[in-house]
Amino acid sequence: MEIYSLSPILLFFLSLILSPSTSQAYCHHIDHQALLHFKLQITSDPSNIFQSWTPQTDCCKSWDGVACNPAGRVINVSRSGLLSGDDFILDTSISGTLSPSLSNLSFLQLLDLSNLKELTGPIPPEFGKLSRLTHLFLDSNKLSGEIPATLRRLSGLEKLYLSNNRFSGVIPFVVFESFKSLSEIGLSGNQFSGEIPSSIGEMVSVTKLDFHENNFSGVIPKTIGKLKKLKFLDLSENQIAGSIPESLGSLPELQLLYLNQNQLSGSIPSSIDGLDSIQFFRLSENKLTGAIPSSIGKLTKIQRLIFENNMLTGALPATIGHLITLTDIYFSGNRFTGQIPSSFGNLKNLQALELSRNKLSGKIPRQLAKLQNLQTLDLSYNPLNLITLPNWFSRLKLFRLKMAKTGILGPLPGFLGSSSTISELDLSSNSITGELPRWIGNMTNLSFLNLSNNGFENPLPEEFKNLSLLTDLDLHSNNFSGDINTIFKKNVQDPLGHFNSIDVSYNSFSGPVDIGDAPAMDSVVSLVLSRNPIGGIIPESLSDCHELVKILISSNNFSGKIPKEVLNLKNLIEFDVSRNRLVGEIPKHNASIPASAFSGNPGLCGTPLPPCKHSSLHV
């Protein structure tokens, strides 16, 4: 066999082919030092998320949360306080500050230090040198100070999240002006103030803009209408005033618009019909006036309309009936007049119709009986003069029915007894009379029952104990009588059905009170029994209701002493036993209770009333 010798050049190329590939260069020393300087600023790392960052190891190959390019330059640093893997989720925190040395990572594209919770101090102005940065996530920390104007140099930035920190000051005009590549920006949950700069209109690539829960003032810039790609706009919970600009109607991609909890005035512009993609529209808690424009009927993808607590007037537009994608209408707390449009019966997907506290009148259209997905119907505090609830209500599968002060007269409508779905029933402030019928025990899904300010009389029926899910009961200002303990002894359906609040004041219930070991009472927070002829002692067993914050039992016939265990319940804030027949020294207590809460009991003495007069014996 003939042997051929190989040239040195050929041997060199063969060695490159046959030797193991080295796709990753060593970490560049500048980046290595920059990250170590940042770690030095970390004063507490209880979960050791920076443990792998050691001087002796390579930041590209060994450090958690660090990624490099083939040349060994750091391009990603991701050390979020919320880490997840295939089989774990770690929620941790670190303490420390942002080191200016991070600005030496000249190839950095992503910096994620979100959710570290205890990261404090300002954003170093040197961050403006990170010219290749596309993603900056610093949300959910305790960072403070202003946004450095040097961030305007980050012209390639695509996502910026600074939400849920303690940032303050005004937004520099020049910053927004240069963010032409930005697609998402989150500044919510801070203390930013001043006006939103008109330069916001230069962020032509933005799709998500979340500024809610700050102190922004001024007006909504008209230039916002230039953001044609915008899908998510939340300016809620600020101090923004002025009117809603017409230009907002020229955002065809907008899906969510939240302007609630501001100081907005004026009318809703008719240009809203240009919001072709809008699904969630919230204007509640403002000072808006005028009528809802009929052009609202063109928002064919809308799901939620939340306009409550404004000063809107006029009739409800019948065109809303065209919006068959609607699931929720919240128009409570306005000044709407006229009838509920019969076209609302076309809203086949509607789940909530809340129109309370308006000036609506006339008949409730029976077309609403078609709303088989309706779960909440609240027409309370409208001058509807109903006389009685329409029988077609029985065809609805309601979870919440609230018809307070709507003019209902006479006995409780019988069809309610066959309702298997109602959980919250509010018929307060009407003129309902007669006794609470036995069929109330059939409404076994009731968790909230408010029949206050009516003319009910006679004792509660024995069947009341069947309301095993009831947690909130308000029967005040009626003529109910009989044994108060019928309420306390009702059944529970663990873990549900334990009372949270009871108000049966201004009735004729009698006692004595026997809480005993009634399971329905073990987690009650508020107990109001004032203005009844309840006699007997204040039961010491009330001290077993450890969650009690409020005990109001004034103007009854309670006698005996105040149990010290009751007066020293750890959560007790409100306590009133005035105008009873209590005697003895008021037990020492920690709660701040005024003297008026004990007045009208001639036999009571001690702080905060005058001291007791102890008789001395002379032998």
Side-chain angles (χ1 to χ4, degrees), residues 563-575:
K564 64 179 181 180
E565 296 85 358
V566 174
L567 200 52
N568 282 284
L569 282 162
K570 65 176 182 179
N571 296 314
L572 194 64
I573 295 175
E574 289 187 66
F575 184 78

Side-chain angles (χ1 to χ4, degrees), residues 190-381:
N190 282 289
Q191 296 156 28
F192 290 117
S193 57
E195 295 192 15
I196 298 172
S198 60
S199 57
I200 199 169
E202 301 300 316
M203 299 195 299
V204 291
S205 299
V206 75
T207 62
K208 181 176 181 179
L209 198 155
D210 186 358
F211 290 1
H212 85 270
E213 199 181 341
N214 277 286
N215 294 315
F216 286 116
S217 56
V219 299
I220 300 172
K222 295 178 181 178
T223 53
I224 214 161
K226 294 164 63 177
L227 307 180
K228 302 302 181 185
K229 297 180 180 179
L230 196 60
K231 294 181 179 179
F232 180 110
L233 176 59
D234 190 348
L235 303 180
S236 64
E237 298 178 67
N238 280 287
Q239 305 295 324
I240 301 170
S243 58
I244 299 171
E246 293 273 349
S247 60
L248 265 183
S250 59
L251 300 175
E253 301 294 320
L254 197 64
Q255 297 172 13
L256 181 147
L257 176 58
Y258 282 178
L259 303 178
N260 50 292
Q261 288 175 262
N262 278 290
Q263 305 292 327
L264 295 171
S265 57
S267 58
I268 301 171
S270 59
S271 63
I272 59 169
D273 61 4
L275 299 173
D276 298 332
S277 303
I278 196 77
Q279 297 174 36
F280 306 100
F281 194 1
R282 189 165 187 173
L283 300 176
S284 51
E285 286 83 42
N286 277 290
K287 299 176 180 178
L288 297 170
T289 55
I292 296 177
S294 60
S295 58
I296 200 169
K298 296 180 180 178
L299 306 183
T300 55
K301 296 180 181 178
I302 195 75
Q303 294 180 34
R304 307 190 82 197
L305 284 174
I306 306 176
F307 293 176
E308 60 195 356
N309 298 324
N310 279 285
M311 295 181 282
L312 298 169
T313 56
L316 297 173
T319 54
I320 290 177
H322 301 155
L323 307 177
I324 58 172
T325 54
L326 262 177
T327 60
D328 299 273
I329 295 176
Y330 292 95
F331 288 173
S332 300
N334 281 286
R335 300 171 183 177
F336 293 119
T337 54
Q339 291 187 244
I340 300 168
S342 59
S343 62
F344 279 25
N346 300 327
L347 303 175
K348 59 182 181 181
N349 292 302
L350 199 64
Q351 297 174 22
L353 179 58
E354 297 212 3
L355 303 175
S356 66
R357 300 182 189 276
N358 279 287
K359 298 179 179 180
L360 299 170
S361 57
K363 287 188 176 181
I364 304 172
R366 63 181 307 112
Q367 287 86 345
L368 298 188
K370 297 188 293 182
L371 303 179
Q372 290 302 293
N373 288 308
L374 195 65
Q375 297 178 19
T376 298
L377 178 61
D378 188 354
L379 304 181
S380 300
Y381 299 96

Side-chain angles (χ1 to χ4, degrees), residues 145-178:
E146 301 185 3
I147 293 181
T150 53
L151 291 194
R152 70 183 185 277
R153 300 175 192 154
L154 307 183
S155 57
L157 206 58
E158 295 173 10
K159 294 186 180 180
L160 173 63
Y161 280 90
L162 305 178
S163 306
N164 302 316
N165 278 286
R166 297 173 177 176
F167 292 117
S168 58
V170 299
I171 307 294
F173 186 93
V174 292
V175 171
F176 287 167
E177 196 173 35
S178 57

Side-chain angles (χ1 to χ4, degrees), residues 354-518:
E354 297 212 3
L355 303 175
S356 66
R357 300 182 189 276
N358 279 287
K359 298 179 179 180
L360 299 170
S361 57
K363 287 188 176 181
I364 304 172
R366 63 181 307 112
Q367 287 86 345
L368 298 188
K370 297 188 293 182
L371 303 179
Q372 290 302 293
N373 288 308
L374 195 65
Q375 297 178 19
T376 298
L377 178 61
D378 188 354
L379 304 181
S380 300
Y381 299 96
N382 280 288
L384 293 170
N385 298 318
L386 287 182
I387 310 300
T388 187
L389 292 178
N391 281 329
W392 57 260
F393 269 34
S394 62
R395 290 152 58 186
L396 298 170
K397 303 178 181 68
L398 294 172
F399 180 78
R400 295 181 188 86
L401 176 59
K402 298 188 174 185
M403 305 292 289
K405 203 169 185 181
T406 51
I408 302 171
L409 306 173
L412 205 60
F415 71 80
L416 291 172
S418 59
S419 171
S420 59
T421 60
I422 293 179
S423 174
E424 297 182 20
L425 179 64
D426 184 353
L427 300 177
S428 60
S429 301
N430 282 293
S431 299
I432 305 172
T433 54
E435 61 183 9
L436 192 63
R438 293 184 179 277
W439 53 250
I440 194 74
N442 298 336
M443 300 185 72
T444 52
N445 278 315
L446 274 179
S447 65
F448 175 99
L449 177 62
N450 188 350
L451 300 176
S452 63
N453 281 301
N454 277 290
F456 287 102
E457 52 193 9
N458 296 339
L460 298 179
E462 186 69 21
E463 289 80 2
F464 182 86
K465 71 176 187 295
N466 296 335
L467 303 182
S468 57
L469 296 179
L470 189 65
T471 58
D472 292 277
L473 176 67
D474 191 348
L475 302 178
H476 84 264
S477 303
N478 279 284
N479 295 309
F480 285 114
S481 59
D483 187 1
I484 187 71
N485 297 294
T486 304
I487 294 169
F488 307 144
K489 303 296 184 183
K490 84 162 185 74
N491 297 329
V492 299
Q493 197 174 113
D494 278 326
L496 307 173
H498 298 258
F499 275 121
N500 175 65
S501 66
I502 297 172
D503 187 347
V504 293
S505 56
Y506 292 85
N507 277 287
S508 298
F509 285 111
S510 58
V513 171
D514 179 19
I515 302 286
D517 58 353

Side-chain angles (χ1 to χ4, degrees), residues 4-80:
Y4 295 94
S5 62
L6 297 174
S7 70
I9 295 176
L10 186 56
L11 282 170
F12 174 75
F13 281 113
L14 280 174
S15 69
L16 289 178
I17 295 169
L18 298 175
S19 64
S21 62
T22 55
S23 60
Q24 181 69 60
Y26 289 112
C27 177
H28 196 283
H29 70 94
I30 291 179
D31 296 353
H32 191 263
Q33 288 301 309
L35 292 173
L36 285 176
H37 276 117
F38 166 56
K39 185 183 176 182
L40 284 175
Q41 303 288 93
I42 305 302
T43 56
S44 173
D45 181 13
S47 299
N48 294 318
I49 65 172
F50 290 97
Q51 186 176 35
S52 62
W53 291 26
T54 61
Q56 299 80 17
T57 54
D58 188 280
C59 72
C60 293
K61 299 175 182 177
S62 306
W63 292 14
D64 294 334
V66 177
C68 300
N69 66 14
R73 301 309 300 258
V74 172
I75 55 174
N76 289 354
V77 176
S78 182
R79 290 283 77 195
S80 171

Side-chain angles (χ1 to χ4, degrees), residues 607-618:
T607 307
L609 296 180
C612 298
K613 296 176 181 178
H614 297 289
S615 59
S616 56
L617 295 175
H618 299 281

